[in-house]
Amino acid sequence: MFSNKQPKKIDMSFLKYLTDVELSTPQVTIEQIKNDYPHTKKSHLEACRMFYMLNYQYLDEEQKEELLSKINVLHQQEESKFKNAINIIEQCQQKQLA
């Protein structure tokens, strides 16, 4: 009833002419991420994290290490901004109590 023939492969090369997106390079750029994910527009840290997640399989080990170190630096900067803001708030509160 069913034949054991292999299905014929379909030539999909014509698809590259139907889109503006480059199909040969599946990596997603930071600009594409910022356009597709609005919450990453204001935070370079979040855009880098998303870039790392979406492109993990396409990055070599050196690129992964470089990106992770950049993410760590950006994370430390964000954390220090947050700590400074808390210190300023506490100082203001202490001045009001005094």
Side-chain angles (χ1 to χ4, degrees), residues 26-38:
Q27 263 190 345
V28 181
T29 65
I30 295 276
E31 291 78 24
Q32 289 172 322
I33 290 171
K34 288 184 177 184
N35 288 334
D36 294 344
Y37 303 96

Side-chain angles (χ1 to χ4, degrees), residues 37-55:
Y37 303 96
H39 70 279
T40 63
K41 283 187 180 182
K42 293 183 180 178
S43 172
H44 194 62
L45 173 62
E46 290 304 317
C48 286
R49 284 180 177 165
M50 188 67 73
F51 179 85
Y52 182 76
M53 287 187 283
L54 294 175
N55 294 311

